[in-house]
Structure formats: C-alpha cells, structure tokens
Amino acid sequence: MADFQQRDPLSPAFWDERFERHFTPWDKGGVPQALQDFVAGHSPLTTLIPGCGSAYELAFLAGQGWDATAIDFSPAAVAQGKRAAGEHAARVVEADFFAWQPAAPLQLIYERAFLCAMPRAMWPQVAARWAQLLAPGALLAGYFFFDDAAKGPPFGIQRAQLEQLLRADFACIADDAVSDSIPVFAGKERWMVWRRR
C-alpha cells in the first residue's frame, strides 16, 4: 500500500494524490460488459457519469451517439478523464456532484464506484441527489458494491441497506451477476438498474 498524505475521500486532494501517483485499483481500463449490453438495448439517453475518474465510459457512450457528461471534483481525475475521452474531452467537466446542474433533463445516471467512494455517512445525500436529478421514469444504472469491511474506500453496502436507501424513490428493475469484475470488486458487485418512481 502506498503511503498517502491525503486520507479524506471527501477532499479532491485525496483523489488527486491517487491519480497523480497512478494508484487507481478501481480503474478497469475500459468499458465493462454490462454497460455495453445496456447501451445495445436502449436508444441514446441523456446521461450523467458522476465521479467519472478516467471516463472510459464517457468516450464509449458519446461514440454511440449518447448525450453524456462526466463529472469529477478531482482536477487530476478530470485531466485523466479528458485524456481518455479523446475527441469527447469537452464532455468531461470538473464539478461537484451535489452542486452541478444538467443542461437538459437527465434520463440516466450511470453508477460506477461513486457511491462506494463516499463514506457511508454521505450515502443518504447521494441517494437524495440521484432522486433530485432524475425525473420519474428515468434510470439509475450501474454497479453496486456489496461488502461489510469497515475500512474504505471502497465502502461496501449491504443489500438491505441499499434497498432502504433507494426504495422511497426508486424501483429495482434489473439485478444481475457481473462476470468481468476487476480484483477489488470481484464477487462483490452486481449490475443493477433502478427506475425513478
């Protein structure tokens, strides 16, 4: 384990230090299969990718004609995301998820290691913001990390906790095993789609 100075995942400096030192064990280095399958089964959706990191998914979605925006509050992550996004770099934006406002109504928020990057005490705020950003019928889709280890990030959630967190505003419409997890998430994540009530 690298010796990091920054210990607060709520600070952009925490993530800057990890990107600058190339310590990103959550980074798949590409687009996961379940997202590719999801995109193949849907018409283009106006999409937000919060906590985008390297933003491989942004380049993929934009290349498929989706109106996608990727945000991160870490300047180092945004710089990495812009490099990975190539011709779509302008769609990678430095912003705070809790303050950012979409230019058009969102139809999808893609979840990939954003919730589990947040300390557990922040989860109700994340869920409330998801609900605020998505109109009824819009989707929250992505990967949810189930684990009960005390330390993080990643901070895992219990299934009952996730259902309690989301059930007031969302209904789960897909819950599938993941076949191509990276080591840090292997055997502990599910691809899930939740529809805004």
Side-chain angles (χ1 to χ4, degrees), residues 7 28 41 53 66 73 88 92 102-103 105 110 122 150 152 180 182 184 191:
R7 296 292 177 184
K28 183 175 180 61
W66 290 44
F73 75 162
H88 305 292
V92 183
Y110 172 62
M122 291 292 296
D180 61 346
I182 59 174
V184 71
W191 167 264

Side-chain angles (χ1 to χ4, degrees), residues 21-75:
R21 294 174 65 176
H22 307 288
F23 183 83
T24 55
W26 60 85
D27 190 328
K28 183 175 180 61
V31 180
Q33 187 61 50
L35 177 62
Q36 295 180 50
D37 295 342
F38 178 86
V39 168
H42 287 79
S43 299
L45 300 174
T46 303
T47 302
L48 173 66
I49 307 171
C52 66
S54 296
Y56 305 107
E57 294 96 336
L58 180 280
F60 169 70
L61 292 174
Q64 299 293 314
W66 290 44
D67 177 11
T69 302
I71 64 172
D72 206 298
F73 75 162
S74 159

Side-chain angles (χ1 to χ4, degrees), residues 90-176:
R91 296 175 181 233
V92 183
V93 179
E94 184 179 331
D96 178 348
F97 170 69
F98 297 100
W100 177 85
Q101 293 295 328
L106 295 174
Q107 297 168 299
L108 172 68
I109 293 178
Y110 172 62
E111 164 60 24
R112 180 60 168 165
F114 181 67
L115 183 66
C116 69
M118 294 281 178
R120 293 179 174 101
M122 291 292 296
W123 289 350
Q125 291 171 255
V126 173
R129 184 68 173 144
W130 283 337
Q132 184 181 54
L133 286 168
L134 294 171
L139 301 176
L140 168 67
Y143 296 86
F144 292 84
F145 176 61
F146 295 100
D147 190 41
D148 56 7
K151 293 186 71 173
F155 296 98
I157 195 167
Q158 298 294 317
R159 183 172 293 271
Q161 282 181 291
L162 181 64
E163 290 170 0
Q164 183 176 10
L165 195 66
L166 297 181
R167 69 180 168 213
D169 297 306
F170 294 91
C172 185
I173 59 172
D175 179 358
D176 299 310

